[in-house]
Amino acid sequence: MNRTKIFIAILVSTCVLSCKKYLDIVPDNTLKLENIFNIRENAWDALSKVYSYMPQDDKVHLTSWTLGDEWVGRLDLNNNTGDLRAMRIMRGLQTASDPQLGLWSGTQGGKRLYEAIRQADVFLANIDQVKDMTETELNDWKAQVKMLKGYYMFLLIKRYGPIVIPTVAASPESEKEELFIPRSKVEDCFNYVITLMNEAIPDLKEKADITELGQIDRVVAAAIKAKVLFYRASPFFNGNQEYFGDFMDHDGQPFFPIQYNNEKWKEALDAINEAITLAEANGRGLYTFEAEPYIYDREAFEKNPQNMKKLYDLRMLICDPWNKEVVWGYSNLDYYNQGELAHGSNIRLPPGYGDGVVNTPAYSWQWMAATYRMAERYYTKNGLPITEDLTFDMNKKTELVTTPGQSEEAYLPLYGIMQPGVQTVRLYLDREPRFYANLGITGGYWRAHTVRINTIMFANRDGGFNSSQHTTDFLATGIGVQKLVHPESQSNAWQRVIKYPYPLIRMADLHLMKAEALNEYSGPSAEAYESVNKVRRRAGIPDLQVVWSDPSLTRTPNKHLSKEGLRDIILQERSVEFAFEGQHFWDMLRHKRAVTEFSSPVWGWNHAGTTATDFFVLSIKQQRRFTITDCLTPIDLNEMNTNGNLIQNPGW
């Protein structure tokens, strides 16, 4: 693909070669700060350095996207402390001596975000020395760094709760009081971040140039601020006496706000509305596929146009680079291994597909699988959870069935969606379009390697376990994730992998955030329903108030009429829309549901089964244990020993 260079990807050429000689030094080294910030080119390297601390969420072993209950990786890696770190947290293996994905001091795959904050402070203290930049550009760069500083502090708040707010940039001359700072209250931390972002936003470009995609502009900044306020209003950070009523600072005052403040939802709602308005004014919107379908799907488009168009809307949503739904996207600095999470879940090309296409395990690892729970989480075709839909018989969900033959009229709605005349399981039929677009299932299709693969996840079949090829590279649950895989991505070399920005914030997120904020602030309303329905209509399912008010369809009619009921509906909508994108874990944490949701084991089909009867047998694949203690990441014991003013998180 010949795409405009992504800003953060551009930083490779500058940062890898230049950053180490710049801001890693201390002010009294032989290279003086006045030399670092003497010309625009050097200042660009310094800006690149601040961006380089973005967490590497596209990396299989470094990502936070596998927190929660959506993913499961290679089971033979369970005992390796450096592998699948987020899943180790979900298995109850977090430690205070060397925290997994520790952002405080950069332990076990985490970025050193306090180091990032220092780099930002050094940049802000010295950027005005640059002579060959206009005042407008100087202010824009300073505003970007302020936003990054605020964003990094927000990530720390999400993980640790109360954090240290460095009020003075550290230097070799700093006094003890300036270096060993106690943690601030959560509310003060949020207020600091919001103040910093409010200060930055007016000086940003409204919309980044096409050569600067990924760079923070006013559209991105408004969305980031909205998300910060959204978290601040959520129950985990707003009136959480249940978890942290006795978590006190040195003055005996609670770190977390104990009294719930409903007005915080109004502040979040105002910011969300502003972010949506600004984004839409600059061309952002919900994605729909507008190009020509792939050749292998042309016949299916002719036979089944409406369902195939919807499938493409959803299949290409994430992996179509820089589409209009992406408000802010991240592209890994490590260009040679960019997008590991995508090619970690991509299956290898089975024999018989692709004329002369190279097929190796490289860049098609075939071992990042979906949990069985995800196969159940998606809605039915009626847009209801399978446990709520009266037309879905839960007692027969694992019953074996055969799809209609290609010549049968009943097959037309399945044309291009499911294979004709194949044996599968009833759970896989009559589901919503996102189910078929996101997952790789027995009897479905996998679009990758420039072809359409007829997936049968049985052992020795297309997409299944094959001991003669590799005894570890297989989908442990027999359920794949093709959501992140570009249909043109191939194996054998990084050049064959189609790169795209991993979405950090997209328009659907803003709409569902708005729905939640509206409901939490003032209860169910037509406006809240409409915000959810915008996402549901793109997903090809009925409006929520239509199906939830129909007693012939749902087991809990009119659930949407109460605040509690609509809250559940919105959170389920988010869990489906943002499946595998690293959002569900935080949604459950925000609402203090993580402990209940994430302490059950991971189940899956028998990957070694060679027939439907042997394959569609459920068993436990991995134990999980997530407690209240795990809701906050421990501060590294080395940090605790260095700074005697720090108070450790509860339970650690």
Side-chain angles (χ1 to χ4, degrees):
M1 293 178 56
N2 185 16
R3 294 275 181 175
T4 302
K5 287 184 178 179
I6 300 170
F7 174 77
I8 299 178
I10 292 174
L11 304 187
V12 179
S13 60
T14 60
C15 198
V16 170
L17 297 176
S18 307
C19 285
K20 288 190 177 296
K21 70 179 182 181
Y22 288 106
L23 295 183
D24 281 341
I25 65 166
V26 292
D28 63 344
N29 208 324
T30 55
L31 183 59
K32 302 296 183 181
L33 281 174
E34 55 264 30
N35 296 326
I36 296 173
F37 291 96
N38 57 356
I39 60 173
R40 183 184 185 279
E41 180 182 359
N42 291 348
W44 174 267
D45 292 334
L47 177 63
S48 302
K49 179 65 175 178
V50 182
Y51 269 99
S52 73
Y53 288 91
M54 291 288 291
Q56 295 175 287
D57 278 325
D58 68 324
K59 294 295 185 66
V60 165
H61 301 297
L62 306 179
T63 185
S64 64
W65 283 23
T66 55
L67 291 169
D69 61 356
E70 299 160 298
W71 294 88
V72 63
R74 266 176 53 179
L75 300 181
D76 68 302
L77 299 179
N78 276 354
N79 295 326
N80 299 346
T81 58
D83 292 331
L84 299 169
R85 291 178 171 94
M87 291 182 196
R88 291 186 64 79
I89 294 173
M90 303 315 299
R91 293 167 55 213
L93 300 177
Q94 182 65 283
T95 67
S97 59
D98 195 15
Q100 297 287 333
L101 301 178
L103 299 180
W104 196 287
S105 50
T107 54
Q108 282 295 322
K111 288 285 189 172
R112 298 176 180 270
L113 292 193
Y114 273 108
E115 183 178 290
I117 291 167
R118 161 152 169 76
Q119 305 290 9
D121 286 339
V122 171
F123 183 97
L124 293 171
N126 292 277
I127 185 63
D128 285 328
Q129 300 174 30
V130 181
K131 306 302 182 185
D132 57 341
M133 291 179 66
T134 65
E135 183 178 359
T136 299
E137 190 173 36
L138 277 170
N139 289 337
D140 177 64
W141 286 19
K142 283 191 286 186
Q144 288 183 55
V145 170
K146 288 177 184 177
M147 286 299 305
L148 284 169
K149 179 181 177 181
Y151 181 68
Y152 294 149
M153 294 181 77
F154 169 58
L155 294 182
L156 286 166
I157 296 168
K158 283 174 63 178
R159 295 285 186 89
Y160 297 92
I163 64 171
V164 170
I165 302 176
T167 54
V168 179
S171 71
E173 292 77 33
S174 294
E175 298 294 331
K176 178 181 178 181
E177 293 74 18
E178 296 174 327
L179 294 175
F180 303 125
I181 309 171
R183 302 170 76 178
S184 295
K185 294 181 177 65
V186 167
E187 189 69 7
D188 293 334
C189 297
F190 272 115
N191 289 339
Y192 184 91
V193 170
I194 294 300
T195 299
L196 191 62
M197 291 183 174
N198 285 338
E199 183 182 317
I201 288 173
D203 290 328
L204 289 164
K205 288 181 182 178
E206 182 165 316
K207 184 179 181 180
D209 298 335
I210 196 169
T211 57
E212 301 169 335
L213 296 176
Q215 199 166 347
I216 295 178
D217 56 22
R218 205 177 305 164
V219 174
V220 172
I224 295 173
K225 175 187 168 183
K227 177 146 281 195
V228 172
L229 286 167
F230 183 68
Y231 271 72
R232 174 174 169 258
S234 298
F236 188 84
F237 299 101
N238 184 9
N240 194 351
Q241 184 165 355
E242 177 187 358
Y243 284 14
F244 303 121
D246 58 353
F247 182 27
M248 305 292 187
D249 65 12
H250 287 294
D251 296 325
Q253 298 299 312
F255 274 117
F256 278 75
I258 298 304
Q259 299 301 318
Y260 177 77
N261 182 356
N262 196 53
E263 289 302 311
K264 290 180 180 179
W265 284 110
K266 180 61 166 62
E267 293 180 55
L269 179 60
D270 290 343
I272 294 165
N273 280 329
E274 184 177 343
I276 291 173
T277 299
L278 189 58
E280 290 179 342
N282 284 276
R284 304 300 209 285
L286 293 179
Y287 173 82
T288 55
F289 182 78
E290 304 299 339
E292 288 294 317
Y294 291 102
I295 293 175
Y296 52 71
D297 276 329
R298 299 282 170 84
E299 182 178 339
F301 261 81
E302 292 176 4
K303 301 279 190 181
N304 189 15
Q306 184 175 349
N307 290 340
M308 285 301 297
K309 173 62 168 61
K310 189 55 59 184
L311 182 81
Y312 265 61
D313 288 346
L314 302 165
R315 180 65 180 84
M316 300 300 296
L317 168 59
I318 301 300
C319 57
D320 189 354
W322 293 113
N323 66 69
K324 69 177 183 178
E325 179 143 347
V326 180
V327 178
W328 192 26
Y330 167 72
S331 186
N332 194 345
L333 283 166
D334 184 358
Y335 191 62
Y336 288 94
N337 285 301
Q338 190 183 64
E340 262 187 14
L341 202 53
H343 61 70
S345 53
N346 195 10
I347 64 173
R348 287 192 290 280
L349 186 67
Y353 289 89
D355 184 17
V357 177
V358 178
N359 178 33
T360 70
Y363 298 94
S364 294
W365 296 352
Q366 194 173 302
W367 52 261
M368 290 299 291
T371 63
Y372 172 78
R373 194 170 189 183
M374 287 307 300
E376 288 199 348
R377 182 167 290 154
Y378 285 86
Y379 295 144
T380 66
K381 64 181 180 181
N382 295 318
L384 288 166
I386 62 173
T387 54
E388 288 282 354
D389 194 327
L390 290 169
T391 70
F392 189 92
D393 191 342
M394 289 291 290
N395 294 322
K396 296 182 178 180
K397 64 183 181 181
T398 59
E399 183 178 87
L400 299 184
V401 294
T402 300
T403 60
Q406 186 163 337
S407 61
E408 297 179 47
E409 185 176 350
Y411 180 67
L412 277 179
L414 296 176
Y415 213 111
I417 311 294
M418 292 287 284
Q419 301 165 44
V422 297
Q423 198 171 29
T424 186
V425 69
R426 190 172 294 279
L427 180 70
Y428 289 174
L429 298 182
D430 298 320
R431 305 300 297 276
E432 62 159 310
R434 287 176 294 197
F435 177 89
Y436 302 104
N438 293 176
L439 299 179
I441 58 172
T442 295
Y445 295 106
W446 189 285
R447 292 166 172 87
H449 302 280
T450 73
V451 297
R452 188 179 72 187
I453 301 166
N454 300 332
T455 45
I456 301 292
M457 297 299 186
F458 307 160
N460 303 317
R461 298 290 296 275
D462 295 354
F465 168 68
N466 189 327
S467 60
S468 65
Q469 290 185 1
H470 207 294
T471 57
T472 58
D473 290 2
F474 60 89
L475 304 173
T477 61
I479 307 167
V481 182
Q482 60 177 317
K483 183 177 187 178
L484 307 182
V485 180
H486 195 284
E488 297 172 36
S489 281
Q490 301 176 57
S491 62
N492 193 50
W494 68 268
Q495 296 93 333
R496 295 172 177 268
V497 178
I498 306 301
K499 286 84 177 174
Y500 60 85
Y502 277 46
L504 299 175
I505 303 177
R506 54 186 177 95
M507 287 300 296
D509 194 5
L510 292 178
H511 288 304
L512 292 179
M513 284 166 58
K514 178 178 178 177
E516 184 177 328
L518 281 165
N519 183 57
E520 296 298 334
Y521 183 61
S522 55
S525 65
E527 189 177 9
Y529 299 154
E530 180 60 21
S531 293
V532 178
N533 288 334
K534 287 178 180 179
V535 178
R536 288 173 68 93
R537 289 169 196 151
R538 196 265 303 276
I541 54 177
D543 288 358
L544 75 88
Q545 66 269 42
V546 172
V547 294
W548 281 101
S549 61
D550 188 345
S552 69
L553 276 181
T554 177
R555 290 183 168 85
T556 315
N558 297 321
K559 181 178 181 178
H560 63 294
L561 298 181
S562 71
K563 177 186 284 190
E564 295 75 18
L566 185 56
R567 178 188 298 139
D568 290 344
I569 291 169
I570 292 170
L571 289 174
Q572 173 110 19
E573 191 68 46
R574 289 183 61 86
S575 73
V576 173
E577 176 64 25
F578 306 118
F580 310 109
E581 296 180 48
Q583 296 253 31
H584 182 59
F585 172 82
W586 297 107
D587 286 340
M588 294 297 97
L589 188 83
R590 287 190 302 106
H591 283 276
K592 297 187 289 189
R593 301 184 182 190
V595 175
T596 303
E597 286 290 312
F598 301 139
S599 290
S600 57
V602 169
W603 291 73
W605 305 120
N606 174 26
H607 66 273
T610 57
T611 66
T613 302
D614 296 334
F615 177 83
F616 287 115
V617 178
L618 286 172
S619 64
I620 292 175
K621 299 293 182 176
Q622 187 180 77
Q623 295 290 344
R624 297 283 175 96
R625 184 178 69 87
F626 192 85
T627 68
I628 289 179
T629 299
D630 295 304
C631 291
L632 292 179
T633 302
I635 300 173
D636 183 9
L637 292 182
N638 289 325
E639 295 284 349
M640 296 295 301
N641 293 333
T642 301
N643 182 359
N645 285 324
L646 292 178
I647 296 175
Q648 181 62 282
N649 279 330
W652 297 107

